[in-house]
Structures are given as C-alpha cells and as structure tokens.
Amino acid sequence: MYLINIFDENIEPSHLSQLELHGSIPEVLQRVSSDSEPSTSARSDGILMNLLGGVLQAKDDKARREMKILISRLLREDSVDDDNRFDVSKDTLYHLCHRCFSVLVLCLSEAIGTDGSKRDRGVLMAEIAREADNLQWIVDILIEKRMANDFVKLWADQRELAELHSKIPTMYRHEISRITAQVCIAIGRGNILVPKESRFLLLSTWLDPLYEDFGWMRRAYKSVDKKLVEDGLSRTILTLSLRQQQIILLNWFDRYLNKGDDCPNIQRAFEVWWRRAFIRQYTDVEDGSQLQITVCSYPN
C-alpha cells in the first residue's frame, strides 16, 4: 500500500495510477496541481485586496494590529522571490490610500460639525486615529516595495484634509502628522525619490501641521524616534533649492524659539543652509540642492 502526500507540490501523475480512485486522474490532478489554477499573479491581487481591506475595516483593534504584522511579514517574505511572487499591486495599494483619505475627510468634517452629523465626538476621534494608523500601514508597505514615489505628490495634494486637520484638537489629530514624518524619513533615507517640486509641495502643505503636532507625537508614542524624524526633515529640506530652504528654515527658526522641544530641532539643516547661503567657499560652488542625490537600491 502506498501513502502519498497529496499536499506535496512535486507529486507526479504516475504516482496517482497506483491509487484506487473513484474519479478520473485528471480530476484529481486538478485538485492538487497548482498548474490547473489561475496564475499566481492573477489570483493574488484580488485576494490581497480583500485581506488588506478587511484589516482596514476590522472592529477589534488587537486583531487588526496582529493581522497587520502578519500580512506585512508575509508580503516581505514573498517579495524576496521575484520569480514566484504572491504580491500586491501598486494600483491596489493606492486604491486603499484613496479610501483612507475619503474616510479621514469625512470624519474630520463631522468632528468640526461642517456636515451636520450628530455622531459622538469620542467615536469620531477614535475613528480618525484608527484611519490615520491604517494609512501609515499602507504607506509602510508602499515604501517597503519602492512604490511610494507617487504618494508624496498625492499626500501633498490633500489640502482639504490639511485644512480640516488644523481645526481639530491636537490630541486627536497628531496621528495624521505621523504620516508626514514617515514620508520625510523615507525621503531622507533615499527610499523615496521624487522631484524637487513635489518635495517642496509636501512641506508647504504638511510641515506646519507637523510642527504643531510634534509635541503630542513625541509624548504619546514611545515608538516615535525624535532624532529620526528631525534627521528626515533636515535631509528632505536640504534637497531643495537655497531659496526654498531659506523660506522653510526661517519659518522654523521663529517657531523653535517659541515652542522649544515641542518643535522639531532641525538646527543641523539650518547650519548647512547658512553656510551654503552666506559663507564664500560655498557660494562659488554650484548649488547641489537642485538634485536629490542619495544612495539607494533601486534596480537599473
């Protein structure tokens, strides 16, 4: 008597002839052979869309956190093998980003009473924090998969969201500013490469909100690395033109004098800009800040 593991992907058709089968061998092969299924790439995106969407809408916060960790790990493991990848598409991830934007705008509008909603304020604030956390997760996946370049412009264009953000108490909204910090860290590390105009637009839209929320971010989350955020901001700012650096850093100088540690300390960027702008040895060199020069692992 032969014992055959039907879950073995290397099972041979000849082995099946040794079994007493009530159905035909082709029918059994269809059940155990991956070749008879639609291609992995064709099936994976729909499955992952459902899984990711399910996590984003989960009711239980503990389960939601656990499944985020699980799915992120599985996606990271699968992406190692380029020839047999069960992966999520860029379109799916950006579709989920837009879904998060819509929910955030709706919740913020309700919270400030612009749509006449009567929902409990505490429930709304919890939903804002949860949706911002969801968006951070999707952005993490985009960055991990080198798909986040388009997100910079997309996030910079969320002016309605930024305007609503300014009208909500800081204790409820600071999760949203963590997304800006997350993007700046990735730009500073070279994990996101975007044109200078997109970087400046990002900071023009979201830097002031980040300044306002930084104290809450730092105190509320031990996972927020103050130095890492400051370094990411500094590196991002220093990739801009001297004129753009001046606009941003003079504004920061005034804010830091008034807010102290509740404002990011980007003194390093201020020093570099000052030397570039006013010390002679720098003025004779073409302004390299027009380019974002960094070492990264992008394929050729």
Side-chain angles (χ1 to χ4, degrees):
M1 178 178 182
Y2 294 93
L3 296 177
I4 296 178
N5 179 7
I6 63 171
F7 297 103
D8 184 357
E9 63 182 12
N10 296 317
I11 187 172
E12 297 291 341
S14 60
H15 296 159
L16 295 175
S17 64
Q18 302 171 39
L19 299 175
E20 295 182 6
L21 302 173
H22 297 290
S24 66
I25 288 177
E27 289 177 353
V28 176
L29 278 175
Q30 190 172 16
R31 298 173 196 168
V32 302
S33 172
S34 60
D35 292 338
S36 64
E37 297 290 337
S39 67
T40 298
S41 60
R43 290 182 292 125
S44 64
D45 203 50
I47 294 172
L48 285 168
M49 168 69 91
N50 290 334
L51 292 175
L52 293 166
V55 172
L56 296 184
Q57 299 176 61
K59 303 298 184 183
D60 187 280
D61 285 341
K62 180 177 180 292
R64 183 170 60 94
R65 289 192 298 269
E66 290 177 353
M67 290 303 100
K68 282 181 178 180
I69 294 171
L70 172 62
I71 291 177
S72 294
R73 176 167 54 80
L74 293 175
L75 289 175
R76 194 175 300 114
E77 291 173 356
D78 289 337
S79 66
V80 173
D81 185 0
D82 289 334
D83 295 327
N84 188 26
R85 179 178 292 184
F86 188 81
D87 210 351
V88 60
S89 73
K90 179 178 177 180
D91 287 344
T92 291
L93 292 172
Y94 277 94
H95 172 79
L96 294 172
C97 284
H98 282 286
R99 179 193 293 182
C100 291
F101 293 155
S102 298
V103 175
L104 280 171
V105 168
L106 177 62
C107 289
L108 290 172
S109 297
E110 290 185 48
I112 63 177
T114 60
D115 65 350
S117 173
K118 300 298 183 182
R119 278 211 289 170
D120 180 78
R121 187 178 182 83
V123 172
L124 280 171
M125 295 310 176
E127 190 169 350
I128 290 168
R130 184 172 61 251
E131 208 61 37
D133 181 68
N134 283 339
L135 187 54
Q136 290 167 36
W137 180 52
I138 298 299
V139 174
D140 270 338
I141 296 174
L142 286 170
I143 293 170
E144 176 78 21
K145 295 187 171 299
R146 304 287 186 175
M147 296 178 180
N149 293 0
D150 292 341
F151 184 80
V152 176
K153 180 65 164 59
L154 186 62
W155 186 237
D157 285 340
Q158 302 305 308
R159 295 183 185 86
E160 179 184 8
L161 184 58
E163 183 177 350
L164 292 169
H165 172 277
S166 67
K167 300 174 182 178
I168 299 295
T170 306
M171 64 182 295
Y172 298 119
R173 73 188 188 198
H174 60 270
E175 281 273 12
I176 297 174
S177 289
R178 291 185 66 188
I179 298 163
T180 305
Q182 180 184 19
V183 171
C184 287
I185 290 170
I187 291 174
R189 288 174 167 174
N191 295 327
I192 297 177
L193 298 176
V194 291
K196 176 185 61 181
E197 292 74 18
S198 295
R199 284 173 262 137
F200 184 64
L201 183 60
L202 168 73
L203 296 176
S204 298
T205 303
W206 287 110
L207 188 54
D208 282 351
L210 177 59
Y211 287 159
E212 294 295 329
D213 294 349
F214 187 73
W216 266 96
M217 284 172 50
R218 188 169 55 85
R219 288 187 291 270
Y221 296 96
K222 294 181 180 179
S223 61
V224 173
D225 188 325
K226 178 176 182 288
K227 295 298 183 184
L228 193 61
V229 175
E230 291 169 345
D231 187 60
L233 280 175
S234 295
R235 290 175 181 270
T236 302
I237 292 167
L238 291 173
T239 62
L240 304 174
S241 69
L242 284 178
R243 177 59 181 167
Q244 290 169 336
Q245 291 176 44
Q246 176 180 316
I247 293 170
I248 291 172
L249 290 168
L250 290 181
N251 178 40
W252 165 81
F253 189 82
D254 290 338
R255 281 180 173 269
Y256 188 71
L257 289 175
N258 291 312
K259 294 177 70 75
D261 285 343
D262 280 346
C263 181
N265 186 346
I266 51 176
Q267 183 179 150
R268 172 185 167 274
F270 188 88
E271 291 178 8
V272 173
W273 162 73
W274 181 275
R275 295 190 184 102
R276 286 176 176 176
F278 300 114
I279 297 179
R280 184 174 184 81
Q281 65 180 3
Y282 286 87
T283 59
D284 293 335
V285 179
E286 183 179 357
D287 179 17
S289 62
Q290 299 292 333
L291 299 173
Q292 183 181 359
I293 304 174
T294 187
V295 177
C296 68
S297 58
Y298 274 118
N300 292 329

